[in-house]
Structures are given as structure tokens and as C-alpha cells.
Amino acid sequence: MKIAYLLASLAAVAGLAHAAPPAKNFFESPQYKNAKLSPSGRYIALGLGDHEQRDAYVVLDTETLGIVGGGRLPDYDVDDIRWVNDTRLVYTVVDRNAAWGDTRFAPGLYSVSRDGKERRQLVEHRGMQFTTGTLIKSRLEPWNTFLLDEDGAQDSEIIYLQRPVWSGKSDYEIERTELIQLNIATQQSSSITHPGVARSWLLDHKGQPSVLVSLKDGQETIHYRQANGEWRAIASQSAYGILDEGLAPIGFYDDKRLLVKTRKKGDKAALYLMNLATGKIDGEPLVSMADFDFEGEMVYSKKRLAGIHYLSDARSSIWFDPALQAAQKEIDRQIAGLTNIVTPPAQPETNWLLVASYSDRQPTFYSLYNSKTHELKGIGGAHPDIKPAEMGQQDMVKYRARDGMEIPAWLTLPAKGGKKLPMVVMVHGGPYVRGNAWGWDAEGQFLASRGYAVLAPEFRGSTGFGLKLFSAGMKQWGLKMQDDIADSVKWAVEKGIADPERICIMGASYGGYATLMGLVNDPNLYRCGVSYMAVTDIPMLYDSGMAVLSDLPDDYRAYGVPMLVGDLEQDAAQFVATSPLKQAERIKRPLLLAHGIDDHRVPFTHFSKMRSALEKANADAEFAAYAGEGHGWSTLKTRLDFWSKVENFLDKHIGQEQK
């Protein structure tokens, strides 16, 4: 994608096409994705999405943009890509033609030479293996072995993998997560020895495993691996609930200081330095924000901390390296009006930097910037068929809930704007997560392209906006959390944004639960609801409902759910009053209810019981069950089918002809 063409398209705010962009443009696999610079910066690897054949990858020379290597597998799609060193890469694979339930948690992992000529499988694809009677041990790692979120040192043949181990109980919760060191040349592996029951791991600035978080009886302990290889506990705290000064290890500043996220002052969590020898945390934060908790990732180059990519409303960067700070300034000048995330190579031998640029209207596209010559050359974008001029503007707004609490929300308006628009209230899942951030969002922009205003409240219980907002959501499913969503609608009506007669509530997972409870609690506020992958009865969260591999740890059900959501015995009456399943007869508005049959997070029994209750109550409901799909639509076929149903449903109940 040429930079000049991109900037011209951003400026072309007039002359919008009359026909709405096809759904495929929003929901197909990104054309260019997962761009990664090699450790030296001499090469760049990119994933290539293709809805007509398997997703592939390509390796380019950063100087010439000539193709160095690449590849495609006949039966799998290339997914996440990492550089092991400058001559070899690893990548995970998925099967985008098969629904999520058919993958059996086994994506598989391959290593490949830079030119693509030498490929080795590292991890098995399937959990069930059939023996041929041989006594020779396979060098493939077992299926439950996954890439760590962080890169290693990128200067050897060693990579680190994580291996969740499920218990033998009937509901198969995750028991622990082991860290595996794998030599991709010899395919020899070993487990990292450690104390306690491992929950998560952190590599240091040199790419070595240095922090372990263990979990037991609702308590987590943070351990640091010393130079002699021995582990030392540096902090212990409750794993769930409200922690005024809870610690989260984020990265390493240097050999002597750990970067930790905590609340020492005020409502918002900030980034602090911890002395590893004494365990003492600095009095003043390294990074803090007035309106947001710190969230970000460290950027290491030359085995030292070069900067931090962080999230406020949008993503941004802080640079400790003066050369990178100057490069950021020049890139922002050349690509004005976009957020530009710059990533240097780990061990630079060239002047090329990777740039990922985006906005609320522009999906991510990749460029290379030369810090010496200031040349900027485009590579390609995630969704090149999306025209920024046809996308809506997204803004962060704030409103007051009925009890006076200030609630942030994301408002996306159609490209042509307007007043008293039909509106969809999009409720995020979790619920104890941050729902959104400024940037191009396929679902929100799809709805906006159909003429709807889209309002996504960060209701109480949401994270990222301070302790006060989060803690106010404890045990408030269907109560004050639900009121916050309703109050966002009233705010939009008062501001003249939304037509009070044409408002629909929509969401997945917890958002699906809140959609159902919105129709129960506020039937005069919403004209319809779209609920998918929904929790339909809170007590069912305590039981998987089917013998499948759960992605929730045993401790979460024992300690997290009672503290965050409620206790089965003490809150039994509240659970009845806030159960969509038990209140199904009160749902009088039209409803579209959808679920994946192989959902492991919110099992299909939530859907099947709710469907029976709605049918018994003669509710005005449509149902969609997707075989093989899990907690999220994995195939393009399912995504297009579901969003086609959503488009038709909304058009019928709050569309233009309803005005």
C-alpha cells in the first residue's frame, strides 16, 4: 500500500458510495498481519491472509522489499509468526476452514528457515495419538504446548513455550502452566524447574525466564530467578477481588530493577520500578496517567529497555532511546493523523524500523522507516478494501450514571453523521476487562456503515479506568452494572444522538447476559436484543456443564467467581432475580439468540436451556446454533452468516423503515 495513496484516501471525506461496504470487507482474515522484524532488521516476516486459499507467510528484504522466502501449508493456515534468530522463524498454525471446536486446542508449531526451504514440525496437532507399536520416542512436543507471549533472546536456537496441564477431574480445569525450553535445531526440550504451582511466566530483557507467578488457594506469589538459578519469592497477594496495591510484574528495566504495575497513589494503577534486591518500590511512578490504569508492553533493543508501548484512549509510546524518540517524531510528521506504533529490531544491524499505523477509520497498515535517510515505504494493510472515508468517527465520551459515578463509553457514528439515529448499544464481554480502545473495530464499523450509531459503555466492573470503577462492579451482574448500560442509552437520547424508538442492545458472553437482562429490566428502553455466546444463568458458571477442557483455572471458580460475581448460597436470591433463564417469561421484545455448540467458556447448555424457556414463554425469538464453533466465531462462513442475520434483524426492528 502506497503511503501517498493512503493519505489521499484519508482526506477523501466526500463522495461516499451509496451502497454499504460488503460484510466480507469487515470480517475476512486480514490481508497483511503479524509483521515482525528479524533481530538484525535485515528482514521482515508477514502473515498473508487469503479467503480463497490457506493463509501463508512471506519474508521480505527490508532494503529492497524483494521476496526472500515464504510458504503455505496444504491443510493449515499460518497464524502467529516469531523470529528465533536471523536465519530461522517459528509459526503457529490454525485451520480456518474448521470451526473452533474441531481444533481440539492443538494449533501446532513449526520452525522454518528464512528462505522457507527447511521446515520442521515442533508440536503435535492433536491430543489423541494412535500408537504404531514403535519404541522410538517422538521428538514432537505434546499438543498442549504453545508459544509464550514474549520473544526470547533471538540470538540462539532456543525458544520458550508454555504448557498448560489440565487436572484429571471431571471438569478438566487447568492445574498449572509449565515453561518449556526448546532447542529448535535438535528438538530437545526441558522443563524449567520452579517452586509452587506455576500460573504465568515472564522473560527478562535478555530473553531469559526470570519471573514466575504461582497460584495456590486463591493466593498468588511472585518469584524472581536469581543469577545462580535459584528462585526467590518477592511478593504475595490475593489472586482475585479488590487489591488496593496489588502487584503485577510487567517487564525488566535492567538487571537490578523490575517494572511492576501497582496502585501506590490515588485511583489509577501506574508503572513503578521495584528494586529486586530489596523488594522496595520507588515512591514515584515511571509512567502514570490521569484517566487510565497503566497498560503496556516493553520494547527491548540491544538487550536493554528502549521504550514502552502503552494504552490510554489510544496506543502511544514513550522512548528512552533518543534516536527512537527522534524517529517517532519524524514518522508522525510524515503520517499525520494516525497512531504510529514503531518497533525497532532486537539487535539492529540496519536503520530500518517497523511502523504499524491505524486510526478509528483506518485499519492497521505496515510501513518501514529508515532512521538515517528518513525514507518511509509502505508494505501493506490488514483490510485494503476498507475505505476510510466510508468509516465512522469513534470518540471516547463520558456520562453520569444515576448514582453520580462517571462512566466512560465509546461512541461510533456513521460516516455521514446525523441526529436521532437508530442506535446499537454494544456491551462488552468479560465483564472484568477493558472493553475497547480507540481504533478501527470491525463490528462497530460494520454497524456504523449500516447507518447505526454504536455506543459501547465501559460500565462499572470494567478494568483500565481505575479502582473505583472496577470495584463498584463487584457482585453487580444484572444490578448496577445493568443500570450503567441503561443510563448510557438515556444519555445518548438526551444528547440527541439516538432515536428513543430505535435502540437495540447487543453483546457476547457477559455482553450476551447483559443483553438478556436489559430486555428483562428495561423493556421500554430497548426495541430488540442480539445475544450471542451468552451466560444465561449465573450458577452455571460454577459448573462447566459438560465434560470438556475448560480454559478457566480451578482457583477461579473456587475464589474468583464468589468474590467477583457472587456466592452460590449467600447470594442465591440475587442469582434468581438476575437470571435471564429464570426470568425468561419477562422478555417481550424481539430477540436474536446465537451460540457455538462447542463453546468451552460458556457451554452450549446455557443456550439450549434458554431456548427452551423462551419457546415455553412464546417469546418473539430467533435462534442460531453453529456446529463446531466455540466462544467466538472462528470461520469466515460463520461470521458472514451471523452478521447477515444481525443486519436483517436490526433492519427489521430499528432500521430506516421503522422511523
Side-chain angles (χ1 to χ4, degrees), residues 47-355:
L48 301 177
D50 193 324
H51 64 278
E52 295 182 352
Q53 54 185 331
R54 294 293 184 177
D55 288 2
Y57 78 97
V58 66
V59 177
L60 305 177
D61 183 296
T62 52
E63 190 66 41
T64 66
L65 292 188
I67 297 176
V68 175
R72 174 180 280 116
L73 295 174
D75 299 319
Y76 293 95
D77 298 279
V78 175
D79 194 32
D80 192 13
I81 305 169
R82 306 281 183 86
W83 288 92
V84 179
N85 51 53
D86 229 47
T87 61
R88 292 199 69 85
L89 307 92
V90 292
Y91 58 79
T92 60
V93 297
V94 295
D95 186 353
R96 301 198 190 282
N97 291 341
W100 182 88
D102 293 333
T103 65
R104 304 303 177 204
F105 293 94
L109 181 68
Y110 289 80
S111 71
V112 67
S113 57
R114 185 179 64 217
D115 60 11
K117 296 179 179 179
E118 183 185 346
R119 185 177 71 225
R120 303 172 190 153
Q121 186 177 352
L122 302 176
V123 175
E124 294 173 348
H125 285 290
R126 289 289 182 260
M128 300 299 291
Q129 297 296 313
F130 297 95
T131 179
T132 59
T134 178
L135 298 178
I136 300 174
K137 183 181 182 297
S138 170
R139 287 191 174 182
L140 292 181
E141 295 300 310
W143 65 274
N144 58 324
T145 308
F146 307 90
L147 272 175
L148 199 63
D149 290 339
E150 306 161 78
D151 293 324
Q154 300 183 64
D155 59 2
S156 71
E157 304 288 343
I158 298 297
I159 62 173
Y160 290 98
L161 309 171
Q162 55 186 332
R163 181 175 296 157
V165 179
W166 280 266
S167 72
K169 299 178 183 179
S170 61
D171 46 4
Y172 296 97
E173 295 103 346
I174 293 176
E175 187 176 83
R176 63 187 187 277
T177 301
E178 298 298 327
L179 186 66
I180 308 299
Q181 183 187 74
L182 175 66
N183 185 306
I184 64 166
T186 65
Q187 292 190 239
Q188 297 296 317
S189 65
S190 60
S191 298
I192 303 300
T193 58
H194 61 85
V197 179
R199 183 187 191 189
S200 62
W201 300 83
L202 184 67
L203 304 181
D204 65 13
H205 53 300
K206 299 175 183 177
Q208 301 302 315
S210 297
V211 170
L212 156 70
V213 179
S214 66
L215 177 66
K216 184 178 180 181
D217 298 334
Q219 289 288 120
E220 65 179 24
T221 302
I222 302 171
H223 311 261
Y224 167 62
R225 195 183 194 191
Q226 302 174 113
N228 61 6
E230 295 182 0
W231 293 94
R232 175 169 57 87
I234 57 176
S236 182
Q237 60 196 9
S238 173
Y240 306 107
I242 302 171
L243 300 175
D244 289 343
E245 293 189 17
L247 289 178
I250 302 296
F252 281 77
Y253 188 80
D254 52 28
D255 291 328
K256 298 180 180 180
R257 289 171 289 183
L258 182 67
L259 292 156
V260 297
K261 174 181 173 180
T262 188
R263 289 181 180 84
K264 285 181 67 71
K265 297 180 178 180
D267 180 57
K268 307 299 187 292
L271 187 67
Y272 288 83
L273 293 176
M274 170 190 277
N275 186 304
L276 287 166
T278 65
K280 184 178 179 181
I281 299 174
D282 284 359
E284 296 298 324
L286 182 67
V287 181
S288 63
M289 292 171 281
D291 296 325
F292 304 92
D293 292 322
F294 172 82
E295 180 181 335
E297 57 185 19
M298 308 304 107
V299 182
Y300 297 113
S301 187
K302 302 177 183 177
K303 296 190 176 182
R304 61 184 178 85
L305 183 65
I308 300 172
H309 294 325
Y310 68 93
L311 177 64
S312 54
D313 52 351
R315 300 194 178 275
S316 191
S317 304
I318 295 173
W319 296 109
F320 305 117
D321 184 302
L324 289 171
Q325 188 177 41
Q328 179 79 63
K329 184 176 181 180
E330 175 59 20
I331 291 167
D332 290 343
R333 186 190 70 79
Q334 292 195 39
I335 313 180
L338 299 182
T339 290
N340 302 301
I341 303 302
V342 180
T343 303
Q347 299 160 26
E349 297 176 8
T350 73
N351 297 308
W352 291 107
L353 306 173
L354 173 64
V355 184

Side-chain angles (χ1 to χ4, degrees), residues 425-493:
V425 186
M426 185 73 75
V427 187
H428 72 71
Y432 303 109
V433 298
R434 176 167 169 164
N436 212 338
W438 186 83
W440 188 83
D441 171 70
E443 297 179 354
Q445 289 290 356
F446 173 76
L447 294 173
S449 73
R450 270 60 186 166
Y452 299 103
V454 182
L455 184 63
E458 298 281 3
F459 45 85
R460 69 191 69 203
S462 300
T463 60
F465 302 94
L467 180 62
K468 181 180 178 182
L469 185 72
F470 166 68
S471 61
M474 299 298 97
K475 296 188 178 184
Q476 292 300 311
W477 285 46
L479 302 173
K480 290 184 179 180
M481 293 165 75
Q482 201 69 43
D483 292 342
D484 288 348
I485 300 166
D487 291 343
S488 75
V489 175
K490 296 173 183 177
W491 171 86
V493 170

